[in-house]
Amino acid sequence: MRPGAMWSLGDYAAAGDRWAEASRRLAREQAAPGLAVLDLACGPGPLAIEAARAGAAVTALDAAPALLDLGRRRAGAAAVAVEWVEADMTAVPREDASFDLVASAFGCMFAPEPEAMAAELVRLCRKGGRIAVLAWTPASAFGAMGPLAARYLPRGGGASPVERWAEPERVREVFADLPVRPVFATRTVDVVWDGLDQAVDEITGRNPAWITIRSAVEPTGRWPELESDLRGLFAARGRSENGRFVLTVEYLETLAQRP
Ligand SMILES: C[S@@+](CC[C@H](N)C(=O)[O-])C[C@H]1O[C@@H](n2cnc3c(N)ncnc32)[C@H](O)[C@@H]1O
């Protein structure tokens, strides 16, 4: 299935809004008035909208039209201007060096060829500009979900590009042939649901990646086992707080300045 069709399944925003603070924080820290910012694989645009609020000139790109439409409505409600572009993030229809900040929150990590994706990030970035990428660490509950699902997928899911963006050593490899030297910070975001049941139901029922996993695993008869393992993963990593279920999820922030 093409990425735009896959990510239009379910309701990504229902789940993704719960960790959108990580994207907004990146925008608050990196965007500034007058900067040209690209939010690559923007989804419903939390990074893009926050960067526009900070006064940046923002372009937001994604392959999923439904998510772009939602982003457009949200930007309208927030009274900020964002240019929304439907395109593939691996071949962005913009000139070289178009942006001061090329950012991707939990997005470019899905590109099937990480080195080619990194080259595209560098191509789009102006000299002196910055690249910023967020990805869940393997130690985090969200980072552990992919390997967990792979154990149940009929063909094992293959090597995942996501992990290449999740640890400093591996990200350095991705940028090895490019004229940038990334620096790293490990950060966390608290993801809050009404309870553990809601967390599992929402991730498996509304998150497009898990809807796709579920439809591949259900025919094998092992979906209940996978769902139970996911519940166990969340239960082990999460906590109850004021009657709500909270997962503190770790992610790697990669920043690279283009010389
Ligand atoms: C986990 S979501 C992250 C969305 C957003 N950055 C956020 O923080 O909420 C991944 C996004 O990557 C987009 N995506 C995946 N593959 C893509 C591709 N090849 N081209 C453009 N967008 C893509 C999906 O449509 C989806 O919006």
Side-chain angles (χ1 to χ4, degrees):
M1 196 186 297
R2 283 182 305 108
M6 195 279 262
W7 285 95
S8 297
L9 297 172
D11 181 1
Y12 169 74
D17 283 353
R18 296 189 193 272
W19 53 83
E21 176 54 18
S23 309
R24 286 193 293 266
R25 180 160 56 186
L26 178 66
R28 284 196 299 274
E29 291 176 354
Q30 298 296 331
L35 291 188
V37 173
L38 174 64
D39 179 2
L40 196 70
C42 61
L47 193 163
I49 292 169
E50 197 71 9
R53 271 203 185 102
V58 183
T59 302
L61 179 147
D62 203 278
L67 296 180
L68 290 167
D69 282 346
L70 180 55
R72 216 173 266 121
R73 290 198 299 278
R74 287 179 171 184
V80 293
V82 172
E83 184 194 7
W84 302 93
V85 178
E86 183 182 337
D88 195 299
M89 65 186 173
T90 63
V92 174
R94 289 293 181 272
E95 302 283 313
D96 296 358
S98 288
F99 300 98
D100 301 294
L101 174 64
V102 178
S104 190
F106 316 110
C108 78
M109 63 186 194
F110 292 106
E113 294 176 29
E115 281 83 359
M117 185 71 256
E120 184 67 349
L121 299 177
V122 172
R123 179 187 78 75
L124 292 160
C125 189
R126 285 191 186 132
K127 286 190 175 153
R130 278 194 161 185
I131 292 160
V133 175
L134 306 185
W136 308 116
T137 64
S140 73
F142 285 178
M145 288 197 298
L148 170 65
R151 298 212 308 267
Y152 289 87
L153 285 165
R155 285 183 295 281
S160 168
V162 172
E163 291 151 28
R164 304 280 312 278
W165 297 93
E167 290 176 296
E169 274 319 302
R170 305 203 70 192
V171 182
R172 277 193 202 100
E173 284 167 21
V174 166
F175 283 98
D177 293 337
L178 296 164
V180 294
R181 293 295 158 258
V183 295
F184 304 98
T186 303
R187 315 193 71 163
T188 61
V189 60
D190 279 355
V191 186
V192 182
W193 288 273
D194 288 342
L196 176 59
D197 285 348
Q198 188 192 43
V200 175
D201 291 350
E202 195 171 270
I203 292 285
T204 58
R206 304 180 89 172
N207 186 311
W210 274 82
I211 291 173
T212 309
I213 290 164
R214 182 176 185 156
S215 57
V217 174
E218 261 176 343
T220 70
R222 298 185 68 206
W223 171 252
E225 207 184 328
L226 172 52
E227 191 180 34
S228 160
D229 277 0
L230 181 66
R231 176 178 298 274
L233 172 70
F234 278 14
R237 303 294 181 86
R239 63 187 184 278
S240 283
E241 216 171 82
N242 302 323
R244 307 196 78 197
F245 177 71
V246 183
L247 268 179
T248 296
V249 190
E250 188 184 73
Y251 60 94
L252 185 71
E253 179 182 272
T254 297
L255 294 176
Q257 184 153 20
R258 177 146 193 212

